[in-house]
């Protein structure tokens, strides 16, 4: 542990931050973060819903409840995980064949660019 000397810069706390304990500050920040994430989930649910939002229409009419928004986002997450899992279950030779096919296409493109068709 090094002891700061008189020449090293010191961290200055804002006046209001040093007067209040950290617990209530963190609690307030967490509360704001939770509300922000909840609103974000609701807006994502509106954006992904099949219902069209007309120009000038209030979002309060189309906005799902927080429970519905969380359920929709959770289902999207589960679907994504299922897609990832099914991709991981593909046989190894499919990856090899895909790689070889891409290499063949790249070789053909290089041949077309250089004019070397041999």
């Amino acid at each position: 542990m090094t002891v700061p000397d008189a020449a090293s810069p010191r961290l200055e706390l804002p006046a209001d931050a040093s007067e209040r304990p950290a617990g209530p500050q963190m609690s307030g920040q967490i509360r704001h973060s939770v509300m922000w994430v909840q609103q974000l989930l609701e807006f994502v649910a509106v954006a992904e819903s099949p219902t069209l939002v007309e120009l000038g229409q209030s979002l309060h009419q189309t906005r799902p409840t927080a429970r519905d928004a969380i359920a929709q986002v959770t289902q999207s997450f589960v679907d994504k995980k299922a897609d990832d899992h099914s991709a991981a279950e593909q046989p190894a030779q499919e990856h090899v064949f895909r790689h070889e096919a891409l290499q063949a296409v790249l070789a053909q493109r290089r041949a077309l660019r250089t004019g070397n068709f041999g």
Side-chain angles (χ1 to χ4, degrees):
M1 182 169 120
T2 57
V3 178
D5 57 25
S8 65
R10 294 178 183 242
L11 178 64
E12 296 292 330
L13 293 174
D16 64 335
S18 62
E19 294 170 4
R20 292 187 352 199
Q25 288 179 354
M26 290 179 68
S27 177
Q29 289 297 323
I30 291 169
R31 200 172 20 256
H32 289 296
S33 297
V34 167
M35 293 298 293
W36 183 84
V37 168
Q38 181 179 353
Q39 286 180 339
L40 180 65
L41 289 174
E42 290 172 357
F43 287 131
V44 166
V46 168
E48 291 182 347
S49 75
T51 311
L52 292 177
V53 178
E54 298 295 326
L55 182 63
Q57 180 181 359
S58 172
L59 290 179
H60 290 290
Q61 296 169 354
T62 59
R63 196 168 96 186
T65 64
R67 186 180 316 256
D68 294 339
I70 290 171
Q72 183 176 355
V73 170
T74 302
Q75 185 59 44
S76 296
F77 177 76
V78 168
D79 293 345
K80 172 73 172 112
K81 283 301 199 183
D83 290 345
D84 290 348
H85 184 68
S86 65
E89 290 179 345
Q90 290 179 344
Q93 65 266 24
E94 284 186 34
H95 297 291
V96 172
F97 293 143
R98 181 175 295 126
H99 177 72
E100 288 178 4
L102 288 173
Q103 293 301 320
V105 169
L106 288 173
Q108 288 175 353
R109 288 182 71 193
R110 278 193 294 268
L112 287 172
R113 287 184 182 161
T114 62
N116 183 8
F117 301 107

